[in-house]
């Protein structure tokens, strides 16, 4: 945040808005990913959104001020948000017999990536500046998009069942009932971003002034991600949590 504040000529609190914009766009991307993949296929949308995220990530360090940076971050969040729900849908089709473990593994990987990426950002930002974080991440995302395109099996596109699922998902996006779900889910999932941002901006002082302590705080969340995967097979609550994340069970048209 101090580096962004200096380069963009804004207070640290204003620089933090770029993170907020990312988080809000991520939420909308999560809502749109499922219906789009129902209509056009999991592999096409998964690989396509990761490729688009690579482009958006490369645009962030080119921004000369907060407005352009926020726009690039919004595009980045929009493309990133669709990955997890589409992964859940793909796994339900490909490995239904091991779905609890598969969903928990993907969710734990997503949670761990939030921690690992913050550690990566802190290390690279301290050594090479904040732009290096995005310049290193963009080609890695491009490689990930190519890997998804090569590894994932092509799905059936354009069938009546898939088209109905896609139209059902779009109806959900237009439904007033969705607002009540957002009121519950956005504060819950937004707390991850909020906690780290508030700690970094406002203290306690021994964390803000000590990069090593901040690194330790972020890394302390990783064991919980591993334990979640190890506890998945015998733990019914894990499946319940996955169902809450997915939003509907069993899979199919709404």
């Amino acid at each position: 945040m101090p580096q962004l504040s200096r380069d963009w000529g804004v207070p640290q609190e204003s620089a933090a808005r770029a993170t907020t914009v990312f988080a809000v766009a991520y939420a909308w991307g999560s809502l749109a990913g499922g219906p789009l993949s129902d209509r056009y296929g999991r592999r096409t949308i998964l690989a396509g959104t990761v490729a688009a995220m690579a482009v958006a990530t490369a645009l962030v360090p080119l921004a000369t001020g907060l407005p352009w940076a926020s726009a690039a971050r919004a595009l980045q969040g929009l493309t990133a948000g669709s990955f997890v729900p589409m992964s859940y849908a793909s796994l339900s089709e490909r490995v239904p017999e091991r779905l609890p473990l598969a969903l928990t593994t993907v969710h734990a990987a997503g949670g761990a990536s939030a921690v690992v990426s913050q550690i990566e950002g802190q290390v690279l930002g301290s050594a090479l500046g904040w732009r290096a974080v995005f310049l290193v991440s963009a080609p890695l995302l491009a490689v990930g998009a190519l890997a998804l395109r090569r590894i994932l099996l092509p799905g059936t596109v354009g069938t009546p069942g898939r088209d109905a699922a896609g139209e059902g998902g779009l109806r959900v996006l237009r439904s007033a009932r969705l607002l009540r779900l957002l009121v519950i889910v956005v504060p819950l999932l937004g707390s991850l971003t909020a906690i780290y941002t508030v700690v970094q901006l406002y203290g306690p002082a021994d964390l803000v002034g000590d990069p090593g302590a901040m690194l330790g705080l972020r890394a302390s969340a990783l064991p919980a991600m591993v334990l979640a995967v190890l506890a998945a097979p015998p733990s019914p609550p894990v499946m319940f949590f996955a169902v809450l994340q997915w939003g509907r069970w069993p899979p199919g048209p709404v």
Side-chain angles (χ1 to χ4, degrees):
M1 291 301 171
Q3 293 182 36
L4 298 176
S5 175
R6 288 193 301 268
D7 285 2
W8 294 340
V10 297
Q12 288 192 47
E13 291 79 1
S14 298
R17 294 175 187 168
T19 302
T20 303
V21 167
F22 174 92
V24 173
Y26 186 99
W28 286 108
S30 297
L31 294 172
L36 287 174
S37 68
D38 284 336
R39 178 64 63 87
Y40 300 108
R42 314 291 185 214
R43 185 175 72 169
T44 299
I45 301 301
L46 272 168
T49 54
V50 175
M53 183 164 44
V55 174
T57 301
L59 291 176
V60 176
L62 301 179
T64 56
L66 181 59
W68 285 108
S70 297
R73 288 286 280 164
L75 178 60
Q76 194 185 30
L78 192 66
T79 53
S82 59
F83 185 85
V84 171
M86 285 192 292
S87 300
Y88 289 171
S90 179
L91 290 171
S92 71
E93 296 167 353
R94 300 299 185 186
V95 288
E97 70 283 355
R98 306 201 63 184
L99 192 57
L101 178 59
L103 293 181
T104 306
T105 302
V106 169
H107 190 80
S113 71
V115 178
V116 170
S117 62
Q118 290 182 6
I119 296 173
E120 173 204 357
Q122 184 173 334
V123 172
L124 287 177
S126 299
L128 302 174
W130 69 269
R131 287 182 172 85
V133 179
F134 297 91
L135 294 175
V136 168
S137 298
L140 293 177
L141 288 166
V143 171
L146 292 174
L148 285 168
R149 184 70 185 176
R150 182 174 180 82
I151 293 170
L152 291 179
L153 295 172
T156 304
V157 179
T159 63
R162 186 174 294 281
D163 287 344
E167 292 172 3
L170 293 174
R171 285 198 301 273
V172 171
L173 295 182
R174 297 191 294 264
S175 172
R177 296 170 57 191
L178 184 63
L179 181 60
R180 296 197 292 271
L181 290 174
L182 290 176
V183 169
I184 298 171
V185 173
V186 168
L188 176 66
L189 299 182
S191 62
L192 176 65
T193 299
I195 288 172
Y196 284 115
T197 302
V198 169
V199 167
Q200 187 172 5
L201 289 177
Y202 302 111
D206 55 345
L207 280 176
V208 176
D210 186 351
M214 198 71 193
L215 197 67
L217 175 66
R218 288 167 170 151
S220 66
L222 289 175
M225 306 299 175
V226 177
L227 289 174
V229 176
L230 296 178
S235 177
V238 172
M239 173 57 81
F240 177 70
F241 182 74
V243 171
L244 289 180
Q245 293 293 307
W246 197 3
R248 55 189 174 99
W249 189 268
V254 175

